[in-house]
PDB file of all heavy atoms in Angstrom:
ATOM      1  N   THR V 136       1.890 -91.832 -21.436  1.00  0.00           N
ATOM      2  CA  THR V 136       0.966 -92.683 -21.980  1.00  0.00           C
ATOM      3  C   THR V 136       1.172 -92.781 -23.567  1.00  0.00           C
ATOM      4  O   THR V 136       1.181 -93.871 -24.103  1.00  0.00           O
ATOM      5  CB  THR V 136      -0.471 -92.207 -21.742  1.00  0.00           C
ATOM      6  OG1 THR V 136      -0.646 -92.169 -20.338  1.00  0.00           O
ATOM      7  CG2 THR V 136      -1.504 -93.167 -22.398  1.00  0.00           C
ATOM      8  N   GLU V 137       1.337 -91.660 -24.217  1.00  0.00           N
ATOM      9  CA  GLU V 137       1.512 -91.716 -25.681  1.00  0.00           C
ATOM     10  C   GLU V 137       2.813 -92.380 -26.080  1.00  0.00           C
ATOM     11  O   GLU V 137       2.872 -93.187 -27.047  1.00  0.00           O
ATOM     12  CB  GLU V 137       1.456 -90.266 -26.248  1.00  0.00           C
ATOM     13  CG  GLU V 137       1.500 -90.174 -27.701  1.00  0.00           C
ATOM     14  CD  GLU V 137       0.345 -90.774 -28.378  1.00  0.00           C
ATOM     15  OE1 GLU V 137      -0.741 -91.059 -27.646  1.00  0.00           O
ATOM     16  OE2 GLU V 137       0.373 -91.069 -29.589  1.00  0.00           O
ATOM     17  N   MET V 138       3.875 -92.142 -25.335  1.00  0.00           N
ATOM     18  CA  MET V 138       5.157 -92.798 -25.646  1.00  0.00           C
ATOM     19  C   MET V 138       5.082 -94.310 -25.430  1.00  0.00           C
ATOM     20  O   MET V 138       5.623 -95.067 -26.256  1.00  0.00           O
ATOM     21  CB  MET V 138       6.291 -92.121 -24.905  1.00  0.00           C
ATOM     22  CG  MET V 138       6.607 -90.704 -25.253  1.00  0.00           C
ATOM     23  SD  MET V 138       7.093 -90.487 -26.998  1.00  0.00           S
ATOM     24  CE  MET V 138       5.582 -89.879 -27.731  1.00  0.00           C
ATOM     25  N   ASN V 139       4.394 -94.659 -24.378  1.00  0.00           N
ATOM     26  CA  ASN V 139       4.293 -96.090 -24.160  1.00  0.00           C
ATOM     27  C   ASN V 139       3.380 -96.779 -25.138  1.00  0.00           C
ATOM     28  O   ASN V 139       3.633 -97.916 -25.573  1.00  0.00           O
ATOM     29  CB  ASN V 139       3.705 -96.379 -22.675  1.00  0.00           C
ATOM     30  CG  ASN V 139       4.725 -96.071 -21.637  1.00  0.00           C
ATOM     31  OD1 ASN V 139       5.928 -96.185 -21.835  1.00  0.00           O
ATOM     32  ND2 ASN V 139       4.209 -95.780 -20.423  1.00  0.00           N
ATOM     33  N   ARG V 140       2.354 -96.031 -25.634  1.00  0.00           N
ATOM     34  CA  ARG V 140       1.492 -96.572 -26.679  1.00  0.00           C
ATOM     35  C   ARG V 140       2.251 -96.835 -27.935  1.00  0.00           C
ATOM     36  O   ARG V 140       2.131 -97.906 -28.592  1.00  0.00           O
ATOM     37  CB  ARG V 140       0.314 -95.635 -26.885  1.00  0.00           C
ATOM     38  CG  ARG V 140      -0.736 -96.160 -27.874  1.00  0.00           C
ATOM     39  CD  ARG V 140      -1.708 -95.109 -28.285  1.00  0.00           C
ATOM     40  NE  ARG V 140      -1.051 -94.042 -28.987  1.00  0.00           N
ATOM     41  CZ  ARG V 140      -0.645 -94.132 -30.317  1.00  0.00           C
ATOM     42  NH1 ARG V 140      -0.881 -95.234 -30.991  1.00  0.00           N
ATOM     43  NH2 ARG V 140      -0.143 -93.085 -30.926  1.00  0.00           N
ATOM     44  N   ILE V 141       3.104 -95.839 -28.274  1.00  0.00           N
ATOM     45  CA  ILE V 141       3.845 -95.936 -29.544  1.00  0.00           C
ATOM     46  C   ILE V 141       4.813 -97.084 -29.382  1.00  0.00           C
ATOM     47  O   ILE V 141       5.050 -97.891 -30.325  1.00  0.00           O
ATOM     48  CB  ILE V 141       4.595 -94.618 -29.802  1.00  0.00           C
ATOM     49  CG1 ILE V 141       3.607 -93.494 -30.184  1.00  0.00           C
ATOM     50  CG2 ILE V 141       5.611 -94.804 -30.919  1.00  0.00           C
ATOM     51  CD1 ILE V 141       4.235 -92.125 -30.248  1.00  0.00           C
ATOM     52  N   ALA V 142       5.443 -97.267 -28.252  1.00  0.00           N
ATOM     53  CA  ALA V 142       6.408 -98.370 -28.096  1.00  0.00           C
ATOM     54  C   ALA V 142       5.809 -99.681 -27.819  1.00  0.00           C
ATOM     55  O   ALA V 142       6.426-100.709 -27.746  1.00  0.00           O
ATOM     56  CB  ALA V 142       7.330 -98.005 -26.910  1.00  0.00           C
ATOM     57  N   GLY V 143       4.459 -99.685 -27.587  1.00  0.00           N
ATOM     58  CA  GLY V 143       3.739-100.954 -27.240  1.00  0.00           C
ATOM     59  C   GLY V 143       4.183-101.474 -25.840  1.00  0.00           C
ATOM     60  O   GLY V 143       4.152-102.671 -25.628  1.00  0.00           O
ATOM     61  N   ASP V 144       4.588-100.585 -24.932  1.00  0.00           N
ATOM     62  CA  ASP V 144       5.132-100.922 -23.623  1.00  0.00           C
ATOM     63  C   ASP V 144       4.016-101.172 -22.625  1.00  0.00           C
ATOM     64  O   ASP V 144       3.346-100.216 -22.294  1.00  0.00           O
ATOM     65  CB  ASP V 144       6.104 -99.876 -23.204  1.00  0.00           C
ATOM     66  CG  ASP V 144       6.808-100.323 -21.887  1.00  0.00           C
ATOM     67  OD1 ASP V 144       6.684-101.482 -21.497  1.00  0.00           O
ATOM     68  OD2 ASP V 144       7.427 -99.428 -21.277  1.00  0.00           O
ATOM     69  N   LEU V 145       3.854-102.388 -22.167  1.00  0.00           N
ATOM     70  CA  LEU V 145       2.897-102.632 -21.078  1.00  0.00           C
ATOM     71  C   LEU V 145       3.647-103.252 -19.882  1.00  0.00           C
ATOM     72  O   LEU V 145       3.081-104.018 -19.129  1.00  0.00           O
ATOM     73  CB  LEU V 145       1.843-103.691 -21.529  1.00  0.00           C
ATOM     74  CG  LEU V 145       0.804-103.099 -22.494  1.00  0.00           C
ATOM     75  CD1 LEU V 145      -0.163-104.212 -22.945  1.00  0.00           C
ATOM     76  CD2 LEU V 145       0.048-101.965 -21.872  1.00  0.00           C
ATOM     77  N   THR V 146       4.852-102.899 -19.664  1.00  0.00           N
ATOM     78  CA  THR V 146       5.661-103.328 -18.487  1.00  0.00           C
ATOM     79  C   THR V 146       5.301-102.372 -17.323  1.00  0.00           C
ATOM     80  O   THR V 146       4.864-101.239 -17.469  1.00  0.00           O
ATOM     81  CB  THR V 146       7.142-103.309 -18.752  1.00  0.00           C
ATOM     82  OG1 THR V 146       7.503-102.001 -19.115  1.00  0.00           O
ATOM     83  CG2 THR V 146       7.406-104.320 -19.900  1.00  0.00           C
ATOM     84  N   GLY V 147       5.623-102.854 -16.104  1.00  0.00           N
ATOM     85  CA  GLY V 147       5.437-102.054 -14.909  1.00  0.00           C
ATOM     86  C   GLY V 147       4.289-102.474 -14.107  1.00  0.00           C
ATOM     87  O   GLY V 147       3.442-103.330 -14.488  1.00  0.00           O
ATOM     88  N   PRO V 148       4.220-102.014 -12.833  1.00  0.00           N
ATOM     89  CA  PRO V 148       3.230-102.453 -11.927  1.00  0.00           C
ATOM     90  C   PRO V 148       1.915-101.719 -12.105  1.00  0.00           C
ATOM     91  O   PRO V 148       1.836-100.623 -12.488  1.00  0.00           O
ATOM     92  CB  PRO V 148       3.879-102.150 -10.572  1.00  0.00           C
ATOM     93  CG  PRO V 148       4.692-100.918 -10.801  1.00  0.00           C
ATOM     94  CD  PRO V 148       5.236-101.104 -12.247  1.00  0.00           C
ATOM     95  N   VAL V 149       0.804-102.435 -11.779  1.00  0.00           N
ATOM     96  CA  VAL V 149      -0.463-101.822 -11.575  1.00  0.00           C
ATOM     97  C   VAL V 149      -1.088-102.261 -10.316  1.00  0.00           C
ATOM     98  O   VAL V 149      -1.011-103.487  -9.962  1.00  0.00           O
ATOM     99  CB  VAL V 149      -1.399-102.323 -12.768  1.00  0.00           C
ATOM    100  CG1 VAL V 149      -2.849-101.752 -12.511  1.00  0.00           C
ATOM    101  CG2 VAL V 149      -0.943-101.828 -14.097  1.00  0.00           C
TER     102      VAL V 149
END
Side-chain angles (χ1 to χ4, degrees):
T136 299
E137 186 61 18
M138 291 302 99
N139 287 336
R140 185 191 65 78
I141 292 172
D144 184 11
L145 286 178
T146 59
V149 175

